[in-house]
Structures are given as structure tokens and as C-alpha cells.
Amino acid sequence: MLSVTEHKEIEFSSDLIKQFDEIVSRYPQGKQKSALLPVLHLVQAEYGWVSPEAMDKVAAYLQINPIEVYEVATFYTMFFLRPQGKYVLEVCRTGPCCLVGAEKIMNHIEKTLGVKEGEVTPDGKFSWRGVECLAACGMAPVLQIGPEYTFYENLTEESVDKLIENLKNKI
Amino acid sequence: MARKLLFENINVPGIHTLEVYRQHGGYRSVEKALKTMTPEAVVEEVKTSGLRGRGGAGFPTGMKWSFLAKPEGKERYLVCNGDESEPGTFKDRYLMTHIPHLLIEGMIVASYALGAKTSYIYVRGEMMPQIRILERAIAEAKNAGLLGKNILGSGYDLELYVQPGGGAYICGEETALIESLEGKRGNPRIKPPFPAISGLYACPTVVNNVETIAAVVPIINDGGEEYAKFGVGRSTGTKLISASGNLKKPGVYEIELGLPVEEFIYSEEYCGGIANGKRLKAVVAGGSSVPILPANLILNTINGQPRLMTYESLSDGGFQTGTMLGSGGFIAFDEDQCIVRNTWNFSRFYHHESCGQCSPCREGTGWMEKVLHRLEYGHGKMSDIDLLVDVSKKIEGNTICPLGDAAAWPVASAIRHFRDEFEWHVNNPKEAMERNYGLAKYADPLPKLEEVASQN
């Protein structure tokens, strides 16, 4: 849930604001609240998570109450309410993926990264979690990595090793 | 090879670009509809085609369109439902990835038919790559004068936008989707009023699945009558089936409705049989929400007729011995799969995805998950099985939206058809942790109708 540790003022960059403005222009006058989900996605892509401070800023930008942002950010599972690793491995844990070994893949990731679901590795690089159906059941098991939600399909323990190794070497 | 309507050109290199798409006859339906047909004529054509909603409910699309209220001075909206989240379904992802212009073409024609000036494609947030693909395709179409002001000189204006979701299954329900598009939590609305009267921004709105919108293109190109020649009876046209689970060749297949289930599973043209030389144990035919059937009942109806991939044939026998076509999420289970474990997995999904608005669903899905968890992990009691049936009955029909039913049906049907496997878990908890129950009699010739009935 919302974790308020210390309040750090943040300022959205003008580039980000420009993107927000473009999104708001898609809706009728006065319906700028519709931009909330796409705006939160942009915020998360920028900061890696959706902090309470960022949510307050979003509320101010969209001219809505902060609570309207909190209730949405806590409802949709894609928004991280606390800091995550740089790469969040989200593994599908629903039926069709489990029929072809998703549970094995999750156990393997837990062992390889050495952290439990939802925790961040000490170097801050990785975290992982099981998520519900990603609509790619024919390529199961699958995982995705934000913020672009790149997809990795037909996973095996070896391909997961390779993926983690590649990400480790990426700056 | 059977003829395809949506995926005829899916393997053409570069078909995701406007140039190649147009070379292969793309956007013909836009020219035809906007230049030679009235909006009413487009709706009539779709009615004639017999097209039914491809998202799961199977409601006739033309009829849905004709319900749209048209008050003076109020905007009307078309919203495309690309929130595809039903476990087992991934056809829309495939369509949007490989042939995005088909969806955009369908959106233009459908928006014209409904008189919408602004339309949205709501795509689940996890499909960020598909959102980028669609945005690129929309920009291409706009540059070519297929979107924006005065499309192809017809005087019709349309703006089309893509809206990302946030990873909530419930937003596939049309009123929850509308709430989400308004920037709110995805809590389904109480109906009436239906979206056709008061939907997005309290304006008349139609919400259609991606595949439904795409199917409008061949309907306008060839005419509704021509489309209706495909399929059987009231199941006209073709359907995208997402095949997953323990199949040799999982993937998305466009089939003509009426194809025998057996042919779909075993023929080389489609799934090529069960992977690793195993035998078929069970099938969930239309996405995780529909009742699961054992192998014998999915291949044949209780009367011994071969079961066909149609809305009617799959639901033959009601929930006693039938299931539903749903969204076409076809999940096959081989003999090594544990039905109790899978039912628990699905229950966890529904518990996770319940929006929490209605108590029966919010609480009931949690109870079912917990009870199934203890059955799976060897702490179950015989009375738990009836408890599950009882809970599922108390959810079903007692919620605002169909998520409650969707959570109840898989549990009730698993117990209906695989009760001995649940009992085995209670009687042999240690053994159940180490091995699976196996195929048992589920692939044998059909059970007698009385036997199935007595277990309910």
C-alpha cells in the first residue's frame, strides 16, 4: 500500500509535461481525468515507481483530488507503489502458463536472483513477481519487463539464465 | 486449407505497414462504406451477416449497434475492447501485433455506422508494444487521409486514440472499461442504464471486442450475406481460436465456425494433437471462465454427436454436460495435469481480479481459493467439496457483473466432472502431493446422462 517515508518534492520535466498535454488533448473539454492511467504509466516509466509525491503532482496537473489518483493507483496492479529493481521480471502465474512449467520458472528466478517475490536485489538491479494472465498463453511460459513491457516467450531455465546474465551486463 | 477472412494476408511480409496492407486490398471497406453506403446500411449489413460478439458473450453485433441511442446534441462513442485478459485468450494481441490496420479499418467503418466522431481503442497496459504498433499505424492512416477531418473527401470526421489500461481483468467488462477510460477504478456499473443509452461521459456508447470490429471489414467488403455463408446456423463466419496448454502446436487459428472439436485438436492443419505423445484429459474451450469438460464430453455431446466449434454445439447439454465458446480461449490439459491444482490456480486468479464491489464475489472468490488450496495441499476434508459447490452457487447470479459467474463456473464444473479426483485428494493427501491422479475414466466413452445428473 502507500508508503510515506519522507516527503521529497519532485518536479516533472517539461518534456514529460508536454507528453501529458498531448494525452489530455485526446479527451473532450473537462474530461482530463481520462488521462490518469496513461499519465501514471509515463510517471512510472520515468521514476520506476509511482510515489505519493508524484501522485500529488499528477493530481495537481489534472486538477483532481489526490485521493482520485491514490484510489486508481492502488486499484491497477501495474503501478508500483514502492521502489522496485531496475528490471522487474513479471512472470505469468495463471493456468495455461502453469500447465507448461511457469511455477518451475518462478522457483528458478527466485533461486537465481536470491530474493523473494516482491523484494529487490541488494544491487538494486532486479526484482520479480508473479502476475496474472498476460494474454500470451500460446507462447507460455512468458515473462515481461517494463517500462516498455518487452516480452520473453517459451521460457526455459536456460533462457532465463541467459536473460538475467544479459541484463546484468547492461548498464 | 480453409478460407480465412481476417488472416488471409497475415503472413505477407510487411502487412503491418499501410503500404503493403493497401496493396492487398486494405481499406477497401472504408471507401465502400463512406462513399457508397449510409450509416444505416452499414448497420443492416452487419445485422445480415449474423456476426456475434467475439469477446465472449456472443451477442449479435448488429442488434447491439441498433440499440444505440441517438439524442440530438450529444456525442456518441465507439470504444474497442482490447483489454484481453481472459486466461487462455491471446487472439487480439496476435491480431494487433501482426495486422493492426485491419482493426483500424474496422474502427473507421464501425464508427461511421454509429456516427461516432471520436473513438477509443482500450488496450490492456501490459501490451505496450501493441499500443506502440497501433499508434504508429494510426499515424500512417491519418497521413493518408483515412482518419481526421473529411476522410477520403466523404465529409466524415473521425479521431481515433489508443488508451492503455492498468492490468485489471475486470476492465474487460464493458462498463468497467468505460469507468477505467474515464480515469477511475474499474468498478462495473449497475445496468440499466446500458452503455447504449449512457456510457462513456454519460453519452451513448458501443463497446466491441477487437475481433468483432475486425470482422466488420470482410462483412462490408463482401456483403453480410456472403459472410453468413460461413459457419453453421446462428454461428456465422470465422472465429479466432487461441489454443494453449499441452498441445503440439499452440497458437492462434482462424477457423470456420462449425469445425469439429476433434479435428481442431488432432489435425495437422490446426493443433496437431497433444504434445509429448500424451493423451487428452480435459479442455477449457472458451477461456478460463467457461466450464471445464473431460475429454470424452468435449469431443462428443452427451448424445454421441461430434461436438463442433460453434456457440450452439459447445453449449449443447447446458452446464450439465456442455460448456461455452466464450472468447475462444482453448486450453487443453494432458493426462499429467491435476484438475484440483488448476482449479485452485483459476480461483486465485478470480480472487486477485475481483474488483471488490460486491460481497459475494469479493469474499466468495477468496474462500474458494483458500478451500481449494487446502485440498491441493493435503489438508482438505470431504465436506470441503460440497462447501465449494455451495459457495459457488452463492456467488453465481448475485453480483453486478459476470465476474462472479466466471469465478463460480470453473469450480462448479471441475467438481461436477472430476469429483473423484477431488475425493482422491482428500483420501490420499500424501500421495496427492507426490503424483497426479492421471487420466482415470475421463477419456472413456461417454458417461450416462443420469450419472452426470446425479452428481449435481
Side-chain angles (χ1 to χ4, degrees):
Chain A
M1 287 293 104
L2 296 178
S3 58
V4 186
T5 41
E6 54 179 308
H7 195 84
K8 270 192 241 140
E9 271 297 317
I10 55 164
E11 216 43 74
F12 293 143
S13 67
S14 60
D15 187 48
L16 205 53
I17 296 279
K18 221 163 83 192
Q19 292 182 61
F20 292 176
D21 291 344
E22 188 279 316
I23 291 170
V24 169
S25 75
R26 300 172 186 175
Y27 315 103
Q29 273 286 318
K31 303 294 182 192
Q32 76 280 6
K33 190 178 170 181
S34 280
L36 185 48
L37 267 83
V39 162
L40 286 176
H41 278 300
L42 286 176
V43 168
Q44 178 156 306
E46 177 83 16
Y47 297 95
W49 67 302
V50 179
S51 64
E53 296 83 20
M55 284 193 256
D56 290 346
K57 279 271 177 218
V58 168
Y61 172 80
L62 291 176
Q63 299 162 13
I64 54 179
N65 292 316
I67 186 71
E68 292 175 82
V69 183
Y70 303 160
E71 65 176 9
V72 161
T74 52
F75 182 85
Y76 295 96
T77 49
M78 283 181 77
F79 300 119
F80 298 127
L81 301 174
R82 54 172 62 100
Q84 301 288 316
K86 185 168 176 203
Y87 302 108
V88 188
L89 277 57
E90 296 184 304
V91 191
C92 177
R93 64 171 197 184
T94 315
C97 273
C98 285
L99 290 181
V100 288
E103 284 154 332
K104 218 172 76 185
I105 296 293
M106 285 199 278
N107 290 338
H108 185 69
I109 291 178
E110 178 164 3
K111 225 172 65 197
T112 312
L113 295 180
V115 289
K116 288 210 169 61
E117 184 169 0
E119 292 174 358
V120 186
T121 53
D123 61 0
K125 210 142 189 203
F126 293 98
S127 48
W128 73 277
R129 64 171 182 168
V131 292
E132 295 297 352
C133 190
L134 295 177
C137 320
M139 299 77 100
V142 293
L143 70 77
Q144 63 178 14
I145 301 178
E148 276 305 311
Y149 294 92
T150 329
F151 236 74
Y152 300 89
E153 304 166 352
N154 300 314
L155 297 173
T156 59
E157 294 187 347
E158 294 74 44
S159 70
V160 168
D161 283 341
K162 233 165 114 186
L163 169 66
I164 292 177
E165 211 41 55
N166 284 344
L167 291 175
K168 268 186 186 159
N169 297 329
K170 230 161 122 180
I171 315 148
Chain B
M1 279 291 250
R3 221 194 111 195
K4 297 187 172 21
L5 294 175
L6 304 183
F7 284 177
E8 214 171 352
N9 299 318
I10 196 111
N11 291 322
V12 174
I15 196 73
H16 62 281
T17 63
L18 182 69
E19 195 191 341
V20 177
Y21 184 71
R22 286 197 99 167
Q23 279 165 9
H24 287 82
Y27 289 101
R28 262 187 307 146
S29 71
V30 173
E31 304 229 5
K32 182 171 173 188
L34 269 56
K35 288 185 175 165
T36 68
M37 296 169 80
T38 61
E40 294 73 28
V42 177
V43 176
E44 274 315 307
E45 211 60 62
V46 173
K47 268 192 187 165
T48 311
S49 74
L51 174 67
R52 293 165 70 176
R54 300 296 194 225
F59 191 80
T61 306
M63 208 184 300
K64 192 172 188 176
W65 287 9
S66 64
F67 290 156
L68 187 74
K70 292 174 179 155
E72 277 297 310
K74 241 185 178 180
E75 290 287 325
R76 299 193 282 275
Y77 292 102
L78 170 65
V79 180
C80 175
N81 184 346
D83 189 58
E84 186 165 66
S85 316
E86 174 89 1
T89 314
F90 49 101
K91 62 190 176 66
D92 299 341
R93 172 194 288 276
Y94 189 82
L95 191 150
M96 292 188 284
T97 309
H98 296 285
I99 191 160
H101 283 287
L102 182 66
L103 174 59
I104 295 166
E105 180 175 358
M107 282 301 283
I108 299 170
V109 175
S111 301
Y112 172 72
L114 298 169
K117 300 232 160 24
T118 311
S119 296
Y120 298 96
I121 306 176
Y122 182 101
V123 181
R124 62 179 294 179
E126 289 95 336
M127 294 195 193
M128 228 33 114
Q130 283 68 32
I131 292 173
R132 303 273 178 266
I133 291 170
L134 284 174
E135 282 175 342
R136 224 173 8 244
I138 288 173
E140 274 186 306
K142 205 166 176 180
N143 271 337
L146 290 159
L147 280 170
K149 293 252 175 277
N150 194 15
I151 296 171
L152 300 176
S154 65
Y156 174 63
D157 308 336
L158 175 69
E159 291 297 336
L160 182 59
Y161 300 109
V162 186
Q163 174 88 353
Y169 169 68
I170 188 62
C171 292
E173 198 277 341
E174 59 180 11
T175 58
L177 188 149
I178 290 170
E179 286 281 301
S180 179
L181 184 46
E182 291 182 359
K184 302 179 199 151
R185 296 163 70 94
N187 287 352
R189 295 176 181 172
I190 294 171
K191 296 188 256 189
F194 286 89
I197 309 295
S198 175
L200 183 62
Y201 310 130
C203 295
T205 305
V206 166
V207 182
N208 280 143
N209 177 257
V210 169
E211 187 190 345
T212 314
I213 298 277
V216 172
V217 174
I219 289 171
I220 297 305
N221 278 339
D222 309 335
E225 247 170 70
E226 210 44 46
Y227 185 86
K229 284 183 188 160
F230 284 81
V232 183
R234 289 184 56 234
S235 298
T236 60
T238 62
K239 172 95 189 77
L240 303 182
I241 304 290
S242 325
S244 67
N246 309 115
L247 291 163
K248 221 180 246 171
K249 295 192 292 177
V252 180
Y253 296 96
E254 181 172 8
I255 62 155
E256 180 174 350
L257 287 166
L259 181 80
V261 174
E262 190 164 359
E263 190 181 335
F264 180 68
I265 299 176
Y266 291 104
S267 85
E268 282 307 314
E269 191 181 340
Y270 301 104
C271 303
I274 309 304
N276 307 319
K278 304 271 184 192
R279 287 172 298 169
L280 180 69
K281 180 175 183 176
V283 166
V284 172
S288 64
S289 307
V290 309
I292 186 170
L293 287 183
N296 47 14
L297 280 174
I298 189 68
L299 298 175
N300 292 292
T301 67
I302 193 75
N303 301 317
Q305 300 293 320
R307 208 178 285 271
L308 310 176
M309 301 285 266
T310 62
Y311 292 96
E312 291 76 23
S313 178
L314 280 168
S315 56
D316 186 286
F319 277 5
Q320 293 270 300
T321 60
T323 178
M324 286 162 77
L325 178 61
S327 61
F330 194 93
I331 314 168
F333 299 71
D334 72 19
E335 55 193 298
D336 290 345
Q337 301 304 332
C338 174
I339 299 297
V340 179
R341 186 166 188 83
N342 183 72
T343 311
W344 162 61
N345 186 302
F346 281 169
S347 280
R348 180 177 66 176
F349 173 83
Y350 289 107
H351 182 210
H352 186 265
E353 299 297 339
S354 172
C355 81
Q357 207 177 189
C358 314
S359 319
C361 172
R362 181 186 62 235
E363 304 300 324
T365 52
W367 292 353
M368 290 200 300
E369 185 202 336
K370 288 194 187 89
V371 173
L372 281 159
H373 185 272
R374 79 177 176 224
L375 279 166
E376 166 64 14
Y377 286 93
H379 308 293
K381 292 177 293 212
M382 210 46 103
S383 59
D384 283 345
I385 302 172
D386 288 326
L387 177 65
L388 281 171
V389 175
D390 187 46
V391 173
S392 80
K393 281 197 179 132
K394 292 199 164 108
I395 302 174
E396 190 182 347
N398 292 324
T399 53
I400 291 175
C401 85
L403 191 140
D405 302 344
W409 293 341
V411 175
S413 62
I415 295 174
R416 187 180 306 134
H417 298 294
F418 300 91
R419 194 176 185 108
D420 42 348
E421 189 162 341
F422 283 83
E423 288 173 355
W424 180 77
H425 271 254
V426 175
N427 290 329
N428 309 279
K430 276 218 178 86
E431 210 181 335
M433 295 287 288
E434 280 155 22
R435 73 171 184 92
N436 286 324
Y437 187 63
L439 196 60
K441 58 175 177 40
Y442 306 131
D444 289 349
L446 293 171
K448 290 216 169 57
L449 188 56
E450 307 85 70
E451 278 175 31
V452 184
S454 71
Q455 287 182 4
N456 280 278

